[in-house]
C-alpha cells in the first residue's frame, strides 16, 4: 500500500514537471565492472564503526526523528514523503537479561491520517554468555542474519524507487548468473570517506548536548548495487550512506526493527543520512526519469532521564 502511495506521488510529479530524459534501450548509468566488492566487506566496515559503542548504556529520553523525501530529475526542492520517530523509554538490567521499553511512530505526507504509533512496552533480550559488561549492537547477530537484513533493505530501496526486483530468490554470490528463479545482487565501486559535519539544525538549536563542537563524526559508504534479473536490463542503484556513532541507534534491540519497518525503503539506525538513486522507466512509452530518495536525521536527543526501571512485564516482546 505504501509503495503504491510513493509511486503515485512520483508519477504525478513526473507528469506535472515533465521530468523525463531521452528514451534509451538501457536507462541505467554505467559502472566499473572491474571494481566489484563483496557484501561482506560493506557489512564489516559498517559494523566496525559501531563496535566500540555500548548501546545498552542508554538513558530514558533518547530519541531520533528521520524524514524521507525524494527528488526527480529537474526538481529544485525535494518532496517530503514520510516522517519516522523512535523514543527510548526505559532499560532494566538483571544478571540474565535486559528489558527495554521503546516506541516509534510514522506519518505519511500523502494522506490526512494521524501518525501510526507502535508501542513496545517490554522487549526482553537475554544476555550474551560472555562475562564482558559491554554488549555491542551486533554481538547478538552473526553475519548470516545481517546479510539477510541487508538484502531485504536493498530490495526495499529498489521497490521504493519503483524498480522491479521480484524474483523467487536472490543470490549475493559475486559470480552469480541470473536465471528464471534467481536474481543477482552485485556490488561495485565501493568507496569510503571520513569527515565531520554539523549536527541537524534542531539539535544545534537545543545546544548540541553530548556533542563536541556540535559536530557529527561521519563515516560515508558509497557503492553501486547492480540487480540482474533474467530477461531484463540490469538495474543500477547508487547508495550513499552517512553513518555516525553519535546518532541514536536502536537496531541492537530488535534485529529487524527499523531496517525495513515500515516497508518504505531502508532506514539504517546510526545513519545521519542514506540516499539511493537510479534511472527508472517512468511510463509505458519508455520515458526515463532519474529518482533520488533520501532518509536523513532531522532531530535527535541523547537520553538524560533518570535511569529508572518502570517496566510492566505484562506484554513482552522478544527480538
Amino acid at each position: 500500500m505504501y509503495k503504491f502511495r510513493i509511486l503515485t506521488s512520483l508519477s504525478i510529479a513526473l507528469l506535472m514537471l515533465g521530468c523525463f530524459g531521452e528514451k534509451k534501450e538501457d536507462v541505467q548509468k554505467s559502472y566499473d565492472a572491474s571494481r566489484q566488492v563483496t557484501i561482506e566487506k560493506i557489512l564489516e566496515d559498517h559494523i566496525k564503526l559501531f563496535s566500540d559503542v555500548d548501546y545498552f548504556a542508554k538513558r530514558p529520553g533518547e530519541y531520533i526523528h528521520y524524514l524521507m523525501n525524494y527528488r526527480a530529475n529537474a526538481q529544485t526542492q525535494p518532496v517530503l514523503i514520510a516522517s519516522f520517530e523512535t523514543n527510548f523509554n526505559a532499560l532494566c538490567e538483571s544478571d540474565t537479561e535486559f528489558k527495554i521499553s521503546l516506541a516509534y511512530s510514522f506519518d505519511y505526507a500523502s494522506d490526512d491520517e494521524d501518525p501510526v504509533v507502535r508501542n513496545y512496552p517490554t522487549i526482553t533480550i537475554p544476555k550474551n554468555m560472555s562475562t564482558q559488561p559491554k554488549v555491542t549492537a551486533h554481538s547478538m547477530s552473526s553475519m548470516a542474519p545481517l546479510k539477510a537484513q541487508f538484502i531485504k533493505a536493498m530490495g526495499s530501496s529498489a521497490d521504493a524507487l519503483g524498480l522491479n526486483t521480484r524474483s523467487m530468490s536472490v543470490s549475493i554470490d559475486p559470480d552469480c548468473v541470473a536465471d528464471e528463479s534467481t536474481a543477482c545482487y552485485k556490488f561495485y565501486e565501493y568507496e569510503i570517506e571520513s569527515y565531520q559535519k554539523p549536527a541537524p539544525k534542531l539539535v544545534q538549536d537545543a545546544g548540541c548536548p553530548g556533542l563536541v563542537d556540535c559536530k557529527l563524526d561521519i563515516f560515508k559508504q558509497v557503492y553501486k548495487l547492480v540487480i540482474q534479473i533474467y530477461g531484463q536490463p540490469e538495474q543500477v542503484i547508487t547508495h550513499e550512506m552517512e553513518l555516525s556513532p553519535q546518532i541514536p541507534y536502536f537496531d541492537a534491540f530488535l534485529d529487524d526493527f527499523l531496517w525495513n519497518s515500515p516497508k518504505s525503503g531502508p532506514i539504517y539506525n546510526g545513519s545521519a543520512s542514506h540516499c539511493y538513486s537510479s534511472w527508472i522507466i517512468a511510463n509505458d512509452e519508455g520515458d526515463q526519469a532519474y529518482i533520488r530518495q533520501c532518509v536523513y536525521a532531522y532531530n535527535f536527543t541523547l537520553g538524560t532521564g533518570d535511569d529508572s526501571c518502570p517496566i510492566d512485564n505484562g506484554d513482552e516482546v522478544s527480538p
Side-chain angles (χ1 to χ4, degrees):
M1 179 64 180
Y2 182 53
K3 177 185 174 184
F4 173 78
R5 290 175 179 168
I6 292 178
L7 295 181
T8 300
S9 299
L10 290 176
S11 300
I12 292 173
L14 293 172
L15 289 171
M16 292 180 64
L17 296 171
C19 295
F20 298 126
E22 298 178 359
K23 294 179 182 178
K24 296 181 180 179
E25 291 297 323
D26 183 359
V27 300
Q28 307 300 338
K29 297 301 181 182
S30 62
Y31 61 93
D32 187 346
S34 68
R35 296 177 57 194
Q36 188 173 10
V37 66
T38 65
I39 189 175
E40 287 84 0
K41 174 58 178 173
I42 297 174
L43 285 175
E44 285 169 2
D45 287 346
H46 187 127
I47 295 170
K48 187 186 303 180
L49 177 68
F50 300 101
S51 61
D52 293 328
V53 180
D54 185 358
Y55 292 102
F56 288 88
K58 290 183 176 292
R59 299 179 68 83
E62 186 160 323
Y63 163 83
I64 182 72
H65 185 181
Y66 283 107
L67 295 182
M68 176 182 285
N69 61 33
Y70 75 86
R71 187 179 305 199
N73 277 9
Q75 286 179 281
T76 58
Q77 296 295 326
V79 177
L80 180 66
I81 298 176
S83 172
F84 310 93
E85 299 176 74
T86 304
N87 196 80
F88 183 83
N89 298 319
L91 182 147
C92 307
E93 180 179 3
S94 70
D95 292 338
T96 59
E97 63 188 11
F98 294 97
K99 289 186 180 294
I100 294 152
S101 173
L102 54 79
Y104 80 86
S105 67
F106 52 95
D107 189 17
Y108 304 129
S110 59
D111 61 38
D112 296 326
E113 299 177 8
D114 292 334
V116 177
V117 179
R118 297 282 187 265
N119 288 297
Y120 291 84
T122 307
I123 301 171
T124 300
I125 302 176
K127 282 191 174 179
N128 192 289
M129 294 299 291
S130 170
T131 58
Q132 295 179 354
K134 182 168 68 173
V135 181
T136 59
H138 292 287
S139 63
M140 299 174 294
S141 303
S142 68
M143 185 64 79
L146 287 178
K147 287 181 184 179
Q149 290 182 32
F150 193 76
I151 292 170
K152 287 176 64 178
M154 295 299 97
S156 185
S157 63
D159 290 344
L161 291 172
L163 298 175
N164 179 16
T165 62
R166 295 184 181 276
S167 182
M168 292 181 63
S169 62
V170 171
S171 171
I172 55 173
D173 185 337
D175 299 319
C176 169
V177 176
D179 57 31
E180 294 182 354
S181 62
T182 303
C184 303
Y185 282 13
K186 299 180 181 180
F187 303 89
Y188 297 87
E189 299 184 23
Y190 177 53
E191 297 179 356
I192 57 177
E193 181 183 4
S194 297
Y195 53 89
Q196 287 190 318
K197 67 179 293 185
K201 185 179 183 304
L202 291 181
V203 178
Q204 295 182 42
D205 292 344
C208 295
L211 299 179
V212 177
D213 297 328
C214 224
K215 299 285 184 66
L216 295 176
D217 297 317
I218 298 295
F219 178 80
K220 186 175 183 178
Q221 293 180 301
V222 180
Y223 52 88
K224 291 186 177 180
L225 166 65
V226 177
I227 301 175
Q228 298 171 337
I229 299 177
Y230 183 76
Q232 298 184 21
E234 289 183 334
Q235 301 168 348
V236 183
I237 304 175
T238 299
H239 285 262
E240 304 166 70
M241 189 185 309
E242 291 184 314
L243 301 167
S244 175
Q246 293 136 321
I247 296 287
Y249 190 118
F250 297 98
D251 192 46
F253 307 137
L254 286 176
D255 276 348
D256 194 21
F257 186 50
L258 281 183
W259 283 70
N260 295 288
S261 178
K263 295 186 181 299
S264 54
I267 301 176
Y268 290 90
N269 289 290
S271 66
S273 70
H274 177 212
C275 297
Y276 33 100
S277 54
S278 184
W279 288 84
I280 69 169
I281 299 295
N283 55 33
D284 293 338
E285 285 70 42
D287 290 312
Q288 64 169 321
Y290 180 75
I291 303 296
R292 178 179 173 86
Q293 186 162 305
C294 293
V295 179
Y296 63 95
Y298 178 67
N299 189 19
F300 66 84
T301 59
L302 303 177
T304 58
D306 293 334
D307 193 15
S308 56
C309 186
I311 290 182
D312 180 4
N313 292 328
D315 299 314
E316 295 200 5
V317 179
S318 297

